[in-house]
């Protein structure tokens, strides 16, 4: 790998500790997460605001009938951000976005759980040839070897569809239907553990090239932002959301209404799927199989079609057990394995989402960027 790339990855690592959660279920009892459920969510932002997303403090968006939701940055403290009102527990999210241009400007599409599992896409406004990907487990920032770069053509000038396809066994980052990076769940522990708890969806832009930011942050973001070149606009055109644990009413709950942490482990098998339409199976819990093979003692999800990279999931997930662990022959135990087709994704860490801080106010956002 080139020294320049190694340096960029190292600098990206320095700004990866921005993290926030209102309540961490691995540390205390928290409210259940509201589930997206069985229905596929399709939102066309060219038609205006949608109640599925809530604006974070300090966020005001405009909507263009061709470009979609407009995320505008005019000054250092701007960090327009929206967060979904419900969570997915494994699933697929497709976002069509045109990233904001400008040195120091970051556009972010992130899945994040209450216990700080996280899956990221991030675009640097001055990088016109690639996008950064990353993942985190329970907010762990003791090591920084999980981020990477994937090539994409003119992300600030052209709309592309970026997909996160997330199952208990595999995580794919996909650009315009092509898988650019894959992470296998082989049971790794610690910082490299597989993200696996119910996640909220966050979309936003923020300023990393602040004059008062740490030098590593500024260099990662491409330099100090020149606001005379602004305003800097990012455009989110549409989003499609599928919740794989939502249920189909045939092999599983009719419609999952909530996800409940069964213990403080942060393991996906401990999460209880609560149905809002069933009294007989109000809760189903994923528990380990005694035989070491995939079993189902109550409900099994089989609603996910399998075909291309843009389909909901591959055929191995078409009969995903809701109330059992996966088998022990390399699908959920062992060491985390990662594969990439991007050619330049090796080690390091992309800049982790700071926009989650926006939920506690733009005033605190500036301080959160300091290392």
């Amino acid at each position: 790998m080139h020294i320049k790339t190694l340096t960029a990855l190292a600098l990206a690592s320095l700004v990866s500790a921005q993290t926030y959660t209102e309540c961490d279920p691995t540390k205390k009892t928290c409210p259940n997460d509201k589930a997206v459920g069985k229905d596929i969510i399709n939102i066309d932002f060219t038609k205006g605001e949608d109640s599925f997303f809530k604006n974070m403090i300090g966020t005001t968006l405009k909507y263009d009938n061709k470009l979609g939701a407009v995320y505008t940055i005019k000054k250092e403290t701007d960090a327009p951000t929206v967060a979904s009102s419900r969570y997915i527990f494994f699933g697929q999210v497709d976002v069509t976005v045109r990233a904001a241009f400008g040195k120091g400007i970051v556009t972010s599409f992130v899945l994040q759980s209450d216990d700080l599992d996280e899956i990221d896409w991030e675009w640097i406004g001055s990088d016109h040839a690639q996008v950064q990907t990353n993942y985190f487990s329970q907010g762990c920032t003791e090591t920084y070897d999980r981020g990477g770069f994937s090539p994409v053509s003119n992300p600030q000038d052209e709309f592309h569809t970026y997909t996160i396809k997330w199952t208990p066994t595999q995580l794919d980052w996909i650009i315009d239907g092509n898988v650019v990076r894959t992470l296998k769940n082989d049971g790794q522990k610690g910082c490299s553990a597989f993200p696996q708890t119910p996640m909220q969806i966050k979309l936003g832009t923020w300023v990393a090239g602040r004059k008062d930011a740490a030098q590593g942050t500024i260099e990662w973001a491409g330099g100090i932002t020149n606001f005379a070149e602004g305003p800097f606009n990012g455009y989110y055109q549409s989003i499609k959301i599928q919740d794989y644990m939502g249920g189909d009413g045939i092999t599983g709950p009719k419609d999952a209404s909530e996800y409940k942490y069964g213990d403080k482990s942060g393991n996906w098998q401990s999460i209880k799927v609560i149905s809002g339409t069933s009294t007989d199976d109000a809760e189903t819990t994923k528990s380990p199989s005694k035989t070491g093979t995939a079993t189902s003692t109550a409900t099994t999800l089989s609603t996910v079609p399998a075909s291309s990279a843009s389909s909901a999931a591959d055929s191995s997930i078409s009969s995903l057990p809701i109330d059992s662990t996966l088998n022990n022959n390399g699908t959920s135990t062992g060491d985390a394995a990662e594969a990439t087709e991007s050619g330049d994704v090796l080690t390091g860490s992309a800049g982790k989402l700071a926009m989650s801080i926006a939920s506690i106010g733009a005033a605190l956002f500036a301080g959160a960027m300091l290392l």
Side-chain angles (χ1 to χ4, degrees):
M1 180 182 284
H2 298 300
I3 295 297
K4 184 177 180 181
T5 303
L6 285 169
T7 301
L9 287 167
L11 291 173
S13 302
L14 296 176
V15 295
S16 296
Q18 278 45 270
T19 186
Y20 172 77
T21 180
E22 292 181 357
C23 187
D24 186 342
T26 65
K27 295 180 171 59
K28 61 181 179 180
T29 301
C30 300
N32 295 344
D33 294 330
K34 301 297 182 183
V36 167
K38 66 180 179 63
D39 294 329
I40 295 174
I41 304 293
N42 278 292
I43 299 173
D44 181 354
F45 291 116
T46 66
K47 296 180 180 179
E49 186 176 10
D50 192 281
S51 61
F52 180 80
F53 284 96
K54 55 186 178 182
N55 289 358
M56 298 291 94
I57 294 174
T59 295
T60 300
L61 300 179
K62 293 183 179 180
Y63 293 86
D64 184 278
N65 61 10
K66 293 183 179 179
L67 300 174
V70 184
Y71 289 65
T72 301
I73 289 180
K74 296 181 179 179
K75 58 184 182 300
E76 284 189 347
T77 55
D78 287 342
T81 306
V82 301
S84 63
S85 56
R86 288 175 278 163
Y87 288 63
I88 64 170
F89 185 19
F90 302 115
Q92 178 167 321
V93 182
D94 308 276
V95 173
T96 300
V97 59
R98 199 177 93 186
F101 71 91
K103 287 191 301 183
I105 304 298
V106 182
T107 304
S108 299
F109 156 34
V110 168
L111 304 186
Q112 188 179 58
S113 69
D114 293 343
D115 72 344
L116 298 177
D117 282 356
E118 187 171 315
I119 305 167
D120 297 351
W121 285 102
E122 284 190 305
W123 300 261
I124 302 300
S126 57
D127 189 341
H128 305 291
Q130 57 190 359
V131 58
Q132 300 187 23
T133 58
N134 212 344
Y135 70 96
F136 295 84
S137 174
Q138 297 188 9
C140 183
T141 54
E142 294 175 7
T143 62
Y144 302 99
D145 55 358
R146 299 174 301 282
F149 298 103
S150 295
V152 62
S153 174
N154 301 317
Q156 293 81 14
D157 296 317
E158 301 175 11
F159 280 100
H160 295 277
T161 298
Y162 302 86
T163 299
I164 292 172
K165 187 170 74 171
W166 173 48
T167 75
T169 59
Q170 183 168 307
L171 170 59
D172 290 322
W173 288 263
I174 302 166
I175 301 176
D176 295 330
N178 300 307
V179 177
V180 297
R181 182 180 181 188
T182 293
L183 176 73
K184 300 285 187 180
N185 181 9
D186 287 337
Q188 190 74 269
K189 304 297 183 182
C191 283
S192 296
F194 191 80
Q196 57 193 278
T197 48
M199 294 204 186
Q200 191 177 33
I201 302 155
K202 298 181 179 181
L203 310 174
T205 55
W206 54 284
V207 183
R210 301 167 56 93
K211 292 180 180 179
D212 59 355
Q215 187 60 32
T217 303
I218 294 170
E219 292 182 24
W220 166 74
I224 294 288
T225 301
N226 180 1
F227 288 93
E229 297 175 352
F232 306 104
N233 294 324
Y235 303 96
Y236 287 88
Q237 195 173 64
S238 63
I239 188 169
K240 179 180 179 180
I241 303 163
Q242 295 173 275
D243 182 358
Y244 288 170
M245 287 294 196
D248 64 353
I250 300 173
T251 56
K254 276 190 176 181
D255 192 359
S257 62
E258 294 182 339
Y259 298 122
K260 179 181 180 180
Y261 284 71
D263 57 33
K264 292 181 170 55
S265 67
N267 294 327
W268 75 268
Q269 293 93 338
S270 70
I271 304 299
K272 296 180 178 181
V273 180
I274 300 176
S275 170
T277 58
S278 170
T279 56
D280 294 331
D281 263 336
E283 292 187 3
T284 57
T285 307
K286 291 157 288 298
S287 57
S289 164
K290 294 181 180 179
T291 62
T293 58
T295 60
S296 177
T297 58
T299 57
T300 302
L301 179 67
S302 60
T303 61
V304 182
S307 55
S308 64
S310 60
S311 68
D314 57 34
S315 57
S316 65
I317 304 302
S318 63
S319 59
L320 175 68
I322 284 185
D323 61 332
S324 68
T325 187
L326 298 177
N327 61 27
N328 297 327
N329 59 1
T331 56
S332 64
T333 59
D335 297 321
E338 181 181 324
T340 178
E341 297 177 10
S342 64
D344 200 21
V345 179
L346 293 176
T347 60
S349 174
K352 193 181 179 191
L353 178 72
M355 69 184 185
S356 59
I357 308 296
S359 61
I360 55 174
L364 293 181
F365 183 81
M369 291 305 304
L370 299 176
L371 298 182

